[in-house]
Amino acid sequence: MIMIDNLSVQFGGLKAIDGLTATLEAPVCGLIGPNGAGKTTLVNLLSGLVGARAGQVAVDGLPWLPLSPRQRVVQGLRRSFQTEQVVEDLSVWANVQAVLDQVPPTGVDAANEVADVLGYCGLTDVATEPGQAINLFQRRMLELAKALVGRPRLLLLDEPGAGLTEQESGRLREALRGIQAFRGAQVLLIDHDVDLIADTCSQTLVMDFGRRLALGPTREVLQDPEVRRAYLGT
């Protein structure tokens, strides 16, 4: 659970986040809004890349803002980016192993853990392939596999479905919906694909000009006239 209380982030005279208060408690939460709404700033703040001018954030009751980026990783933060961070000359297996080597031990045999997440993400058959040899969908799933090792608590996924076919997007959705059962982690999903958000997120936060525009069950939020005006252009 992510609890955000009166959060503000400012860059010079620009209020990127302006008094945001929200409680995100669903297994998979959506984060949407028009360009410039403050979505990336919020994700960067949760990651520890930017600081807050005011307010508080707690993740599962743990005060989050005092923690360094490294401490947040130790506490289970994982993040993917719009551009995949795949090491081209390492195998798929080694890409995941490299992340596991940087997080606290889980008490589970490392080889078994890597094999487990590769199986979950459908990458077992390409485990020995170098990163440069796999296709876009496999790269997206590799990013997800890297986020699932080492007792994740919170996954911040930035447009994981970009560029995928309808069939590939369906497989991604199934994987996203199963993450809490598989690893016990919460997902905050940032994506412009409204269908992906609607199919995977039971709760969605909509931001606009750094403020909360709407928060609630995803289907209801997407029907909100203000959301449709600001984000969907209707």
Side-chain angles (χ1 to χ4, degrees):
M1 178 186 294
I2 308 169
M3 298 185 67
I4 303 168
D5 182 27
N6 198 29
L7 181 68
S8 294
V9 177
Q10 190 160 340
F11 303 114
L14 172 65
K15 287 187 176 180
I17 299 179
D18 187 7
L20 178 66
T21 295
T23 298
L24 305 177
E25 52 191 348
V28 186
C29 294
L31 175 60
I32 64 173
N35 291 333
K39 305 184 301 296
T40 299
T41 299
L42 178 58
V43 171
N44 285 339
L45 180 132
L46 291 171
S47 304
L49 302 181
V50 301
R53 177 167 184 163
Q56 298 179 347
V57 177
V59 176
D60 293 338
L62 177 67
W64 205 244
L65 299 185
L67 302 179
S68 68
R70 173 61 182 167
Q71 288 171 325
R72 297 180 200 199
V73 171
V74 169
Q75 290 297 328
L77 178 71
R78 305 288 184 269
R79 178 177 178 177
S80 72
F81 294 84
Q82 293 180 19
T83 302
E84 316 90 54
Q85 308 294 302
V86 175
V87 181
E88 305 287 356
D89 57 352
L90 289 182
S91 69
V92 168
W93 181 288
N95 266 272
V96 177
Q97 180 72 58
V99 175
L100 186 58
D101 289 344
Q102 300 303 314
V103 298
T106 62
V108 178
D109 178 74
N112 288 341
E113 182 160 3
V114 174
D116 201 21
V117 298
L118 290 180
Y120 181 81
C121 294
L123 296 172
T124 302
D125 290 346
V126 294
T128 60
E129 294 292 326
Q132 61 191 1
I134 60 177
N135 62 36
L136 175 63
F137 173 64
Q138 291 165 337
R139 294 171 75 90
R140 296 288 188 191
M141 297 306 291
L142 176 54
E143 290 296 284
L144 183 59
K146 289 160 57 181
L148 289 173
V149 292
R151 291 185 182 152
R153 179 197 299 262
L154 174 62
L155 276 62
L156 309 176
L157 304 181
D158 195 349
E159 298 194 30
L164 300 185
T165 67
E166 184 175 347
Q167 180 180 11
E168 292 167 345
S169 182
R171 292 166 62 188
L172 173 64
R173 296 175 199 197
E174 183 179 354
L176 293 175
R177 288 192 292 261
I179 283 175
Q180 188 166 78
F182 178 61
R183 276 294 187 259
Q186 184 180 20
V187 176
L188 183 60
L189 175 63
I190 306 94
D191 211 291
H192 289 291
D193 185 341
V194 175
D195 290 336
L196 177 63
I197 293 290
D199 287 347
T200 58
C201 305
S202 53
Q203 182 186 27
T204 293
L205 169 64
V206 186
M207 296 182 65
D208 194 19
F209 294 108
R211 300 176 181 175
R212 171 176 141 180
L213 180 62
L215 172 65
T218 300
R219 299 287 179 175
E220 295 179 14
V221 164
L222 293 178
Q223 293 302 317
D224 185 307
E226 286 300 306
V227 172
R228 296 179 68 83
R229 177 194 60 77
Y231 181 56
L232 301 179
T234 60

